[in-house]
Amino acid sequence: MIQVIVSNEIEQVCPGFVGAAVEAHCANSEYCAPLWEEINAMTEKFKTTLTTESLKQLPSIEATRRIYRACGKDPSRYRPASEALIRRVLQGKSLYQIDTLVDLINLASIAYGYSIGGFDADKFVGNTLTLGIGRAGEPYEGIGRGMINIEGLPVYRDAEGGVGTPTSDHERTKITLTTTHLLVLINGYDGNRERVEANAEFIRQLLQKYGASDGGHYWVYG
């Protein structure tokens, strides 16, 4: 079992942090039509209930933005992934279609507003992930972004280095079509344990429906 540790530096800026990890064995696919029906239904609902300004006031997103500032990062320049996804929808743009596992994680992130990391767990170095804060000059290759500056961003590290931030996960541990061992990390900077657990259970249900999985299991940390 993978161990997830929250460092003292995160506890100092967010003493109420609650995270959840979902681990599952599954099968990926290029595209899942029923999943996209669910995604499209949710995005259409958001278009009638949110604006790009009111979006920032959702508790899960507002808390993540607040922690970015506390860690020294501008959340409008380095947007948390959940905010970026919903903002894209509200601007009338289509969500990127990547693959079934990534797409269902994006749906879960949109549904609850938490920034969620999705990883091929077999690519981790060691079995421990530690949530800390990015340092000046720390190398980090974001998925599809090239090298990005993670100084002042919350970051999960394995024994080799950074693997995930709320803005972008790392190329080294990204999900691909051959991924069969999945780890998903939900970042509850608002401290709402009940909602974080509900998000984890939602991911388990999505994996059962679309990921050829029994849904795996989840645990809470922080």
Side-chain angles (χ1 to χ4, degrees), residues 46 55 58-62 64 80-83 86 106-116 186-187 190 195 199:
F46 278 6
L55 165 64
L58 294 177
S60 49
I61 290 175
E62 189 279 329
T64 306
S82 55
E83 179 185 349
I86 302 173
N106 285 342
L107 171 58
S109 181
I110 290 170
Y112 286 82
Y114 292 120
S115 289
I116 300 175
I186 304 165
N187 296 286
D190 61 353
R195 189 166 170 80
N199 200 170

Side-chain angles (χ1 to χ4, degrees), residues 47-112:
K47 289 177 185 178
T48 66
T49 57
L50 286 174
T51 68
T52 54
E53 285 305 310
S54 65
L55 165 64
K56 299 176 186 177
Q57 298 166 12
L58 294 177
S60 49
I61 290 175
E62 189 279 329
T64 306
R65 290 175 63 87
R66 185 174 67 250
I67 294 305
Y68 268 42
R69 288 190 290 267
C71 292
K73 212 66 167 176
D74 179 358
S76 294
R77 184 177 179 189
Y78 294 84
R79 294 189 189 279
S82 55
E83 179 185 349
L85 287 168
I86 302 173
R87 184 181 176 86
R88 183 175 178 84
V89 168
L90 298 178
Q91 290 174 333
K93 301 174 184 176
S94 299
L95 291 180
Y96 298 109
Q97 189 271 313
I98 309 298
D99 57 52
T100 297
L101 292 179
V102 173
D103 295 344
L104 72 82
I105 290 168
N106 285 342
L107 171 58
S109 181
I110 290 170
Y112 286 82

